[in-house]
Amino acid sequence: MGVKDPGASQKPAKVVYPAAGEQEEYHDVVPGTQAGRPGVQSNQQTITVDSTGQQNTMIKSGLPEEPAPIAVYAATPFNAQNPVSSKQPITATGVEDKTDFKYFQRQTEIHWYGWIAMTFYVCAFIFYMYVRIAHSLDLGRGYIWYGIYLLCVEVLGFTTTIIYGLNLLWNPVIEQFPEDPESPGKPKVRLPYHVRVCVPCYKEDLEILRRTILAAYDAVLPAGCSRTIYLCDDGKDPRKRKWCESMGKEVVYVSGRVRAPGEMNGKSGNMNNALNQIYPKEYAIPGNELVCVFDADQVAKRDFFLKTLPYFDAGDDIGMVLSPQCFHNLNLHEDIFNHSNIHFWEYMQPGYDALGFISCTGTNFLVRAQAVMEVGGSPMYTMTEDYALGMELKKFGWHCRYVQEYLAIGEAPHEVRNMYQQRSRWTKGHFQIMFNPKVCPLFQSKLSWGMRILYSSGVWAYICAAISTPTFIMIPLITIWIGVFPLVITRWLTLGLTIYSVATQMVLYYVRHPNHTEALWFAAVANSLLWWTYIKACWRAITAKLFCSVITFKATAKGPGKLENSAFRDLWLPGLSFILLMISVGVAIWQLFTGAAVLSPLCISMLWAIYNAIPPYLILHFAIFGRGLPLQYMCKLCFVLGWFCGIAALVVMWIIKVYNPREYNGGIAQNESIGVLFRKIHNET
């Protein structure tokens, strides 16, 4: 078996990394040529194991021209060179001796705006429900079911907004870490942490991995801490092995595992292969052992460990420390797929931190080795191992902290096929967990009911979006073409809707910085583009469960390996939606110019159809013309247009005195005011 000794941490060489949101700029780093990094001129020893179990030792001078075929390359157990001699009672649950155990005490502070906004929102919803039931359902003529259906969809929207708003009620108190007097500029830490940096990969380009590993190599550590980097290569690439060997003892190449038949999550299998080698079951794991995970494209800043390691000092039951993600190839003004995810990183995650909810996001995080090994390693039963790992840690009593600072920079997929494939994988993974009674959050007795609801909220949001988005697309089309509007418009309804709309925006569009308003709007745009993906993912998870089939893990391609194939399978529905909506807008305008009343549900539906056409237009523009200034200008225009349509529709409702679909004699509710086809429905029903 190939064994490489981790060795001790060495002095890092300097590399310049971009700040969050800036264009990527790297100094070229060539192994063996910079001071502080081991070169490739000295002899290297590699031990391999052939199929018979015979060990073979090879002495190499410099880099070989042709790498040797790969057998198995394993990691040395963490304490093979340094046997445990200190006391080891650090686990979150079930330890016998907790004399020296430090428990984490979570501190929070009330966020007054969140409480005011949420109180107003709940009261507005109650009032709106009253006027909807008492003053807007008198549709008659066989249409009352239509109005009740819309009412139920609105209730679904309320539930998702309430769950989001919970994150605005409290803020976590961020500790101030003391400076190490012996190492100015560095925080002082309780334990001499050893960080095992794992970079799982499959077929990513070596240049992408090189940047990630060198960044982790050069990141500054608090005094007394050390690191070992493991390239966990499921692609068994000899070039990557050769490069790792050129970096010396601190970079370990791990590869050669045999994938189990029907394996669902290759990343988890890859990670567990390395973790099981580093932490054999026969050894107790000390509390200073940490595992850090970076995806293949995530380049850490030099202060990554200085900003994250001190959080573990708050308690021996701190199992995980998370940090957000940002991307060097992303312009925030054209982020129609919401890669920046600002509403999640800067509004939801801090709230999760205050609530004690662990929402692992798969990269740029550290986990205590005891914690991840106690829960059985990275979960293999779902495609979204990060989400499942957070839930498993919570079940075993571990806590999590969130660092509100961007400390690593990655690469966002910007090909349509890649983007849809990534979101489809996330959705399938969530549904896999919900449809599995053994791991479904709702059935986990070790979780409080609050945690069960939070861990189920992602799937619930997918379900609500899959129902509400097509519903809101179809309503204006039905009104324009058939002439059926699902509301009785009264002043009471208009008042209730206005108050409820304002309250909803106060919750969903609360921002700490004005620039975030556009980012939160992009979150809504992305949700509108993905509803069909949610439906397909749900159906795929259901059929896999019923027919015992396996959903395979498909990594998001990066660099030269990214998908360039046709995106027709993803664009046909947005294209069809856009065409139908634009034709309907044209029909509505034609009706208005040919005698239909302007102040009518026809006008409201026309504005509604324009609003609905914005997301499919943006994805079509992106697919045809690509990124750049034209897309940025169109995003800004559509942002303004969307708000204008919403406000204008409310204004029209205020001007309309009353509209009842049952009354077709006189006033604005004449038969000619709405509908272009099937007007005979009104006369026959």
Side-chain angles (χ1 to χ4, degrees):
M1 179 175 294
V3 178
K4 296 176 69 67
D5 183 4
S9 178
Q10 302 189 29
K11 181 180 178 182
K14 184 177 182 181
V15 183
V16 177
Y17 302 100
E22 295 180 352
Q23 186 64 30
E24 179 184 30
E25 179 181 354
Y26 296 97
H27 291 178
D28 189 32
V29 182
V30 179
T33 63
Q34 288 198 8
R37 290 204 183 98
V40 298
Q41 305 307 319
S42 59
N43 291 343
Q44 300 177 23
Q45 175 176 298
T46 302
I47 305 173
T48 61
V49 176
D50 59 24
S51 59
T52 65
Q54 179 66 36
Q55 289 192 355
N56 301 300
T57 302
M58 296 178 292
I59 304 296
K60 304 178 183 179
S61 177
L63 290 179
E65 294 182 1
E66 294 295 333
I70 287 182
V72 176
Y73 292 85
T76 302
F78 75 98
N79 54 358
Q81 305 299 326
N82 300 292
V84 175
S85 59
S86 59
K87 191 171 164 185
Q88 303 300 322
I90 303 182
T91 57
T93 58
V95 297
E96 296 181 0
D97 184 1
K98 294 188 178 181
T99 305
D100 299 329
F101 194 91
K102 181 180 179 180
Y103 289 95
F104 171 61
Q105 299 295 326
R106 192 178 303 277
Q107 299 181 27
T108 60
E109 57 186 12
I110 294 177
H111 184 209
W112 289 108
Y113 174 88
W115 279 96
I116 294 172
M118 284 293 289
T119 301
F120 179 45
Y121 177 71
V122 172
C123 294
F125 175 76
I126 294 173
F127 176 66
Y128 180 62
M129 286 294 101
Y130 163 73
V131 298
R132 281 284 279 117
I133 295 172
H135 298 282
S136 71
L137 293 179
D138 187 21
L139 298 172
R141 300 171 59 84
Y143 297 142
I144 189 170
W145 65 268
Y146 188 22
I148 294 176
Y149 169 74
L150 176 59
L151 179 64
C152 293
V153 172
E154 291 178 291
V155 173
L156 293 181
F158 167 78
T159 61
T160 58
T161 304
I162 279 290
I163 294 174
Y164 174 79
L166 291 176
N167 301 298
L168 305 180
L169 299 181
W170 290 277
N171 290 326
V173 175
I174 306 301
E175 299 89 340
Q176 298 298 319
F177 305 115
E179 184 176 285
D180 190 339
E182 299 181 0
S183 300
K186 295 183 179 181
K188 184 177 178 60
V189 292
R190 288 174 53 227
L191 300 175
Y193 295 111
H194 191 122
V195 183
R196 311 284 175 170
V197 180
C198 293
V199 181
C201 69
Y202 182 44
K203 293 184 178 180
E204 290 83 356
D205 186 68
L206 175 59
E207 178 60 22
I208 292 177
L209 291 164
R210 189 180 73 90
R211 293 175 177 176
T212 298
I213 293 174
L214 291 179
Y217 189 105
D218 290 335
V220 181
L221 291 164
C225 298
S226 57
R227 103 199 82 205
T228 306
I229 302 171
Y230 302 85
L231 178 61
C232 308
D233 181 20
D234 242 6
K236 305 176 183 179
D237 188 344
R239 296 180 303 114
K240 295 171 184 173
R241 171 178 59 84
K242 180 179 72 171
W243 184 83
C244 289
E245 290 174 349
S246 75
M247 291 295 294
K249 294 180 179 180
E250 198 174 357
V251 179
V252 181
Y253 181 79
V254 181
S255 185
R257 78 180 183 97
V258 178
R259 301 186 65 158
E263 183 177 80
M264 185 180 300
N265 192 315
K267 179 180 177 181
S268 284
N270 192 7
M271 284 287 301
N272 290 338
N273 175 61
L275 292 176
N276 290 330
Q277 294 169 12
I278 300 170
Y279 301 110
K281 294 181 179 180
E282 59 267 23
Y283 294 111
I285 304 174
N288 68 327
E289 282 286 328
L290 304 178
V291 176
C292 178
V293 178
F294 290 117
D295 278 351
D297 62 305
Q298 292 292 327
V299 178
K301 293 185 179 180
R302 283 182 57 81
D303 59 351
F304 181 90
F305 297 117
L306 298 180
K307 297 291 182 64
T308 54
L309 292 186
Y311 280 86
F312 285 98
D313 290 350
D316 294 325
D317 50 357
I318 296 292
M320 179 176 286
V321 174
L322 297 167
S323 70
Q325 302 173 30
C326 62
F327 306 98
H328 71 85
N329 61 334
L330 178 65
N331 188 303
L332 297 180
H333 299 300
E334 57 183 32
D335 186 19
I336 61 175
F337 263 85
N338 191 35
H339 291 304
S340 64
N341 225 356
I342 285 178
H343 80 292
F344 178 75
W345 298 121
E346 303 202 21
Y347 297 92
M348 295 179 69
Q349 280 285 37
Y352 289 160
D353 192 5
L355 294 171
F357 176 69
I358 305 178
S359 179
C360 181
T361 51
T363 184
N364 309 345
F365 71 89
L366 295 101
V367 60
R368 205 180 291 270
Q370 293 171 336
V372 68
M373 298 310 289
E374 183 182 17
V375 303
S378 185
M380 295 284 292
Y381 53 78
T382 176
M383 298 173 68
T384 50
E385 78 294 331
D386 46 3
Y387 158 66
L389 177 59
M391 183 175 67
E392 294 295 335
L393 291 175
K394 191 66 181 177
K395 285 164 54 178
F396 279 81
W398 293 96
H399 296 288
C400 177
R401 298 308 312 277
Y402 177 65
V403 183
Q404 299 183 41
E405 187 171 351
Y406 294 94
L407 300 175
I409 306 169
E411 177 182 329
H414 53 79
E415 297 76 27
V416 172
R417 182 84 279 269
N418 259 335
M419 291 188 288
Y420 274 100
Q421 178 177 286
Q422 181 191 65
R423 304 309 169 89
S424 175
R425 183 177 70 248
W426 295 351
T427 310
K428 290 175 185 174
H430 279 71
F431 279 112
Q432 281 177 321
I433 294 175
M434 289 301 297
F435 294 153
N436 186 342
K438 295 182 180 179
V439 294
C440 177
L442 296 176
F443 304 144
Q444 302 304 307
S445 60
K446 292 183 179 180
L447 295 176
S448 68
W449 273 106
M451 290 297 111
R452 297 186 202 189
I453 292 172
L454 287 176
Y455 278 111
S456 304
S457 62
V459 166
W460 182 244
Y462 293 145
I463 293 173
C464 293
I467 295 174
S468 61
T469 302
T471 296
F472 292 142
I473 290 175
M474 291 303 301
I475 286 175
L477 301 185
I478 292 173
T479 303
I480 292 171
W481 289 92
I482 301 179
V484 179
F485 196 65
L487 298 169
V488 175
I489 298 177
T490 66
R491 286 298 172 87
W492 278 109
L493 173 66
T494 304
L495 176 63
L497 180 59
T498 301
I499 295 174
Y500 182 56
S501 297
V502 172
T504 302
Q505 306 313 312
M506 287 179 62
V507 174
L508 296 181
Y509 281 89
Y510 161 70
V511 294
R512 299 185 181 95
H513 193 284
N515 291 342
H516 290 176
T517 304
E518 185 181 27
L520 267 60
W521 176 73
F522 277 128
V525 170
N527 213 36
S528 298
L529 292 173
L530 293 166
W531 66 271
W532 181 243
T533 300
Y534 301 155
I535 292 177
K536 291 193 299 180
C538 179
W539 176 251
R540 182 69 182 91
I542 292 174
T543 55
K545 187 67 177 177
L546 292 177
F547 301 105
C548 300
S549 60
V550 177
I551 303 177
T552 57
F553 182 95
K554 297 180 181 179
T556 305
K558 305 289 177 64
K562 56 196 175 185
L563 299 177
E564 299 287 359
N565 56 307
S566 171
F568 175 78
R569 72 178 79 175
D570 305 305
L571 293 177
W572 72 268
L573 189 58
L576 179 62
S577 300
F578 180 73
I579 291 172
L580 289 176
L581 288 165
M582 285 295 95
I583 292 176
S584 300
V585 169
V587 169
I589 294 174
W590 169 73
Q591 291 185 83
L592 292 174
F593 275 98
T594 55
V598 175
L599 300 177
S600 69
L602 177 63
C603 183
I604 296 173
S605 298
M606 181 189 69
L607 294 168
W608 198 342
I610 295 174
Y611 179 88
N612 288 336
I614 290 174
Y617 166 76
L618 289 177
I619 187 62
L620 293 174
H621 182 108
F622 173 85
I624 297 172
F625 301 107
R627 301 181 297 172
L629 284 176
L631 179 59
Q632 295 172 31
Y633 289 141
M634 291 308 304
C635 286
K636 291 183 181 296
L637 176 61
C638 289
F639 173 76
V640 175
L641 179 62
W643 282 96
F644 169 80
C645 289
I647 295 173
L650 279 176
V651 170
V652 172
M653 289 186 66
W654 274 105
I655 296 175
I656 296 175
K657 294 182 179 180
V658 65
Y659 167 78
N660 192 318
R662 296 191 306 164
E663 300 173 359
Y664 290 97
N665 297 318
I668 63 169
Q670 294 179 0
N671 191 20
E672 292 79 8
S673 297
I674 56 174
V676 66
L677 296 178
F678 312 117
R679 284 190 175 129
K680 62 180 181 179
I681 293 177
H682 299 300
N683 299 323
E684 294 176 356
T685 58

